[in-house]
Amino acid sequence: MNYEVTISDDFWNRYRGLVKHRMIPYQWDVLNDAADITIEKERDDASIPNEKSHAIENFKIAAKRAQGEHYGWVFQDSDVYKWLEAAAYTLCYEWDAKLKETADEVVDLISAAQEEDGYLNTYFSIMEPGRRYKRLGESHELYCAGHFLEAAVAYHQAAGSDKVLETAVKLADHICSTFGEGNGQIRGVDGHEEIEIGLMRLYHLTGNEKYMDTASFFLRERGKDPGFFMRQNREDGGRPLIAGLDRFPLKYYQMHRPVLEQDTAEGHAVRLVYLSTALADLAAETGNEELAGTCRKIWRNIVDKRMYITGGIGSTVHGESFTLDHDLPNDTMYCETCASVGLIFFARQMLMIEASSEYADVMERALYNTVLAGAALDGRHFFYVNPLEAVPDKSAKDPGKSHVKTVRPQWLGCACCPPNLARLIASLDKYIYTVRKDEILVNLFIGSELKLRDAGKDIVIRQECRYPRSGTILFYVTNKGGDVLDLKIRIASWSTVHTGAVDNVEAEICAQKGYWKIGVPAGEHTIAFNMDIDPKRWYSDPRVSENIGKAAIARGPFVYCAESIDNGKDLHCLLLPKNAELDHEWREELLEGVGIIKARGKRLIDADSSGALYRGSKDLRTEECEITMIPYYAWANRGENEMRVWLNETEGEGKP
Ligand code: FUB
Ligand code: ZN
């Protein structure tokens, strides 16, 4: 259905302005090696390339407009594609002729780097043309292709570029004829899912079912032939494209079992959520219940057992992966920014399968916490990994924590996250509402206007709010179509008290799968919705061993954390009394405007002067203190700092 959404929200417009005016130009300079910055390795690993990006130069070399060798990861092209996609979305909310000119030049360059038969990948074109598709477990050829297809769809829609679409169709046609179950075709998949998403998007744009069929082939083929990568590697015989990747277990690639038999979230977290996103898209498009069932099982396992309170996923740096149920360490975790971006993609597609608010709840959780934490408030520093507990000294000296950075780098050797975050924020208008055949869901509370004129419907929904500062949201709905509009407003899972009124008459809020369903007749109507947004304590399932005796504080969608800049060092010595009041205070001047939370707390003091590491008695006392917390997304914006989300609890009220 055709509709458009315009965002008019202070909180988000600051971010969208940041993407448009800071991230896009900055990332462009980085991709051109024109920024005077330090590129950091994402962890302590000598094999990580971090001298430069070289991403645009790689295209110039492949297009024979420059000479030289490819530099960077085999998937370096995807940085350019994600940049192009993000730039495309920004053009939709702020037209910019100069940016369009640059983007057109990028499209020209990409198209010049494309080979005659449609193949597109700078690494293989420049360095090893003979190894095309020979080592798919590592090559990321289809992963990069998927990112280009996504970018092409976005840029074609934003700027009407035919050239980008022609290049994409040529690439997709080449892939569709090369891969499949037919004679002479490669019956295999890429080690990193993404092509499936790209092909589905091209299908949605063009209506050409061939693209959906090939996406379906890739999805269903995964895990059917577990020996595929190993066989390919043996036949290829050459040096690995990514050292050590072939030692990861099949689960890393979601290859341990046919996809439709998978019911837990396994392996590399970004891969898993990209896989699930495409699977859910295909399920919604075809109405296939078996596919939808698999999506639900994977979703359940993530959300019920393997997701952090911040919406982060991936419990270990080893393979950037999930581990096991309830294994959620706060200080060695991975919680890659891209994984939460992907989780949001997955949630959005699940809403096309069914109108259940839990998908939007998770979307909001990941967005307002891990995703936002992925960028500094200046839009030019980025986290790849998002800890829930960090101590600078430990990150510096413990090799097991080299991935847990406490200052956001300017750029990373593997730069998947910064442009991923940019493309998500720039396309946020696509997440606020879900327009289903017979209903409209309000998923996110973001000041905005939705205009829908299609299939006999003529609807405008204006959402006004100061969320997340306040939990009061107003909707002005104009329904000019003849039919009653089924509008469903999400009742956020964090709100315990909510009230509503329709045309100033108090209404009973009947929840339907977590949404307040309102039949809006023709005419103009006002709907008011109030959710309590008071700070609350949250606790973990006791099977999460790390969080026993600890509480996390959240206000609305924002998870809070304590930083040493406000609370002194050794945050593990802070004790939050179980009944201490949690006072919220808006601070306009702090961190671009944040609500801080204060509580009367205690600090453990060592009363044993011996300094002995182990003692026969527990000689500790406590002193009163004030605990100050800020929203998690804003941490690490005031210099290097200790940080902690889960605070130790103690009895009492904390009153002096
Ligand atoms: O492999 C390509 C990207 O690099 C993945 O999505 C990220 O997790 C990082 O490993
Ligand atoms: Zn990433």
Side-chain angles (χ1 to χ4, degrees):
M1 208 136 4
N2 278 324
Y3 65 95
E4 40 179 84
V5 175
T6 323
I7 295 185
S8 54
D9 186 281
D10 289 349
F11 181 81
W12 284 107
N13 277 346
R14 192 193 86 79
Y15 270 104
R16 284 158 67 88
L18 202 64
V19 173
K20 167 71 182 66
H21 297 287
R22 295 202 124 220
M23 283 192 203
I24 295 288
Y26 172 74
Q27 297 192 3
W28 177 243
D29 284 348
V30 176
L31 297 179
N32 282 282
D33 303 313
D36 184 17
I37 54 165
T38 305
I39 302 182
E40 290 183 36
K41 291 180 192 294
E42 48 275 16
R43 59 186 170 275
D44 211 354
D45 175 344
S47 71
I48 292 174
N50 72 319
E51 286 159 36
K52 54 191 171 185
S53 160
H54 210 251
I56 293 290
E57 193 65 15
N58 289 338
F59 277 97
K60 289 186 183 160
I61 299 167
K64 311 233 175 338
R65 294 181 183 175
Q67 288 194 327
E69 297 209 329
H70 180 278
Y71 180 87
W73 291 98
V74 280
F75 50 85
Q76 208 84 342
D77 292 358
S78 59
D79 297 350
V80 176
Y81 300 149
K82 280 188 260 182
W83 177 89
L84 177 63
E85 189 182 342
Y89 297 135
T90 66
L91 289 176
C92 299
Y93 60 85
E94 193 177 332
W95 185 253
D96 179 335
K98 189 142 185 313
L99 180 60
K100 152 118 180 10
E101 209 178 291
T102 308
D104 279 341
E105 281 166 19
V106 173
V107 170
D108 268 353
L109 183 61
I110 294 170
S111 144
Q114 185 171 39
E115 298 201 12
E116 223 20 71
D117 62 354
Y119 181 85
L120 180 60
N121 186 288
T122 68
Y123 174 78
F124 288 92
S125 290
I126 299 170
M127 307 296 284
E128 310 202 69
R131 282 177 92 188
R132 245 197 209 197
Y133 300 138
K134 292 271 166 57
R135 211 174 171 105
L136 284 162
E138 297 164 18
S139 74
H140 286 71
E141 286 156 288
L142 297 174
Y143 164 87
C144 288
H147 274 304
F148 177 62
L149 297 186
E150 285 210 79
V153 170
Y155 191 57
H156 173 74
Q157 287 175 329
S161 161
D162 288 335
K163 181 141 195 183
V164 83
L165 191 58
E166 281 158 21
T167 314
V169 164
K170 193 168 161 188
L171 170 62
D173 288 351
H174 154 76
I175 290 170
C176 292
S177 61
T178 307
F179 291 87
E181 294 176 58
N183 266 347
Q185 288 185 304
I186 303 172
R187 186 168 177 178
V189 299
D190 194 279
H192 196 316
E193 299 87 338
E194 168 60 29
I195 184 63
E196 302 81 355
I197 298 180
L199 284 169
M200 284 304 291
R201 285 193 68 176
L202 193 61
Y203 156 73
H204 289 302
L205 179 76
T206 61
N208 187 338
E209 292 191 1
K210 174 170 79 173
Y211 304 134
M212 178 164 68
D213 293 344
T214 304
S216 171
F217 158 75
F218 283 129
L219 289 167
R220 291 169 187 278
E221 182 60 25
R222 186 168 296 275
K224 275 195 187 157
D225 176 7
F228 175 72
F229 292 152
M230 235 185 321
R231 249 187 357 261
Q232 267 212 324
N233 290 356
R234 236 189 348 259
E235 283 163 18
D236 170 52
R239 63 173 183 86
L241 296 163
I242 298 181
L245 213 63
D246 56 352
R247 287 199 294 275
F248 281 125
L250 288 170
K251 276 184 177 174
Y252 172 81
Y253 314 90
Q254 295 78 43
M255 283 284 273
H256 54 296
R257 222 182 259 175
V259 165
L260 292 184
E261 291 170 24
Q262 298 189 23
D263 51 11
T264 51
E266 303 297 345
H268 184 269
V270 181
R271 292 170 201 238
L272 187 270
V273 283
Y274 283 11
L275 164 74
S276 310
T277 299
L279 206 58
D281 190 355
L282 185 66
E285 185 62 22
T286 56
N288 183 310
E289 254 313 301
E290 198 188 4
L291 294 173
T294 302
C295 294
R296 283 192 200 98
K297 284 185 201 157
I298 293 175
W299 176 270
R300 283 265 63 80
N301 185 243
I302 296 178
V303 172
D304 296 347
K305 297 178 176 153
R306 300 187 180 193
M307 181 181 74
Y308 286 85
I309 192 165
T310 49
I313 48 174
S315 294
T316 178
V317 58
H318 299 287
E320 308 177 310
S321 289
F322 291 99
T323 53
L324 63 151
D325 291 349
H326 304 107
D327 180 41
L328 296 163
N330 294 311
D331 59 345
T332 51
M333 67 323 90
Y334 212 61
C335 294
E336 182 179 340
T337 306
C338 283
S340 289
V341 169
L343 182 59
I344 292 172
F345 296 160
F346 181 22
R348 175 169 177 258
Q349 292 300 346
M350 288 307 287
L351 285 164
M352 294 306 292
I353 297 179
E354 61 201 354
S356 174
S357 70
E358 69 162 311
Y359 303 120
D361 280 328
V362 170
M363 189 190 268
E364 185 187 60
R365 183 186 291 284
L367 177 67
Y368 281 91
N369 298 290
T370 300
V371 170
L372 283 188
L377 295 171
D378 69 1
R380 293 184 174 189
H381 295 79
F382 304 92
F383 274 146
Y384 185 131
V385 163
N386 295 281
L388 284 84
E389 188 179 312
V391 177
D393 239 14
K394 291 189 182 176
S395 291
K397 294 177 187 161
D398 175 352
K401 287 185 176 160
S402 71
H403 61 294
V404 186
K405 309 221 183 265
T406 50
V407 175
R408 290 176 185 82
Q410 290 176 300
W411 201 250
L412 293 132
C414 171
C416 50
C417 300
N420 222 355
L421 180 147
R423 71 179 177 138
L424 176 71
I425 294 178
S427 59
L428 195 62
D429 44 287
K430 303 189 188 325
Y431 296 79
I432 304 173
Y433 305 91
T434 299
V435 176
R436 293 165 52 85
K437 212 164 95 231
D438 45 9
E439 59 193 6
I440 297 181
L441 316 180
V442 178
N443 303 314
L444 299 176
F445 303 111
I446 295 179
S448 56
E449 186 171 82
L450 173 141
K451 280 190 184 149
L452 182 152
R453 204 166 287 145
D454 200 357
K457 296 185 164 68
D458 188 349
I459 292 159
V460 178
I461 300 171
R462 188 155 55 83
Q463 185 181 164
E464 266 186 17
C465 58
R466 290 180 73 221
Y467 179 88
R469 278 183 73 171
S470 133
T472 300
I473 297 120
L474 291 173
F475 297 92
Y476 299 95
V477 185
T478 308
N479 180 4
K480 287 195 193 147
D483 298 336
V484 170
L485 158 70
D486 277 341
L487 182 67
K488 288 185 169 174
I489 301 173
R490 179 172 69 99
I491 305 166
S493 60
W494 43 258
S495 143
T496 41
V497 185
H498 21 264
T499 55
V502 178
D503 293 328
N504 293 320
V505 178
E506 203 176 310
E508 196 191 335
I509 300 197
C510 313
Q512 207 181 72
K513 286 200 170 174
Y515 285 96
W516 173 24
K517 182 178 168 188
I518 307 147
V520 185
E524 298 195 353
H525 304 277
T526 309
I527 298 162
F529 186 46
N530 291 293
M531 290 176 291
D532 81 293
I533 201 162
D534 297 333
K536 291 189 179 71
R537 289 168 171 77
W538 292 87
Y539 299 94
S540 297
D541 179 316
R543 284 171 288 185
V544 182
S545 57
E546 283 78 3
N547 295 343
I548 295 285
K550 294 178 187 158
I553 305 301
R555 179 173 180 271
F558 290 117
V559 173
Y560 274 67
C561 67
E563 280 196 300
S564 52
I565 191 168
D566 300 311
N567 299 285
K569 283 179 69 168
D570 298 328
L571 296 173
H572 63 282
C573 291
L574 290 183
L575 302 176
L576 178 67
K578 283 186 176 147
N579 300 318
E581 272 175 28
L582 303 171
D583 295 323
H584 176 260
E585 181 187 320
W586 182 257
R587 294 277 295 275
E588 191 65 41
E589 81 299 346
L590 186 68
L591 298 163
E592 301 288 346
V594 285
I596 61 167
I597 294 177
K598 286 187 174 182
R600 297 274 343 142
K602 294 180 181 170
R603 179 175 265 280
L604 278 177
I605 306 287
D606 187 1
D608 181 328
S609 57
S610 73
L613 186 55
Y614 304 106
R615 302 106 186 249
S617 66
K618 189 174 157 191
D619 208 358
L620 292 173
R621 60 181 180 81
T622 58
E623 69 182 20
E624 302 292 331
C625 69
E626 185 174 65
I627 300 179
T628 302
M629 287 162 276
I630 60 161
Y632 171 75
Y633 77 86
W635 89 278
N637 276 288
R638 294 175 290 170
E640 194 160 38
N641 234 321
E642 227 180 278
M643 183 278 293
R644 175 175 275 251
V645 167
W646 289 96
L647 300 180
N648 291 319
E649 265 202 335
T650 186
E651 296 300 326
E653 295 178 357
K655 291 207 173 113

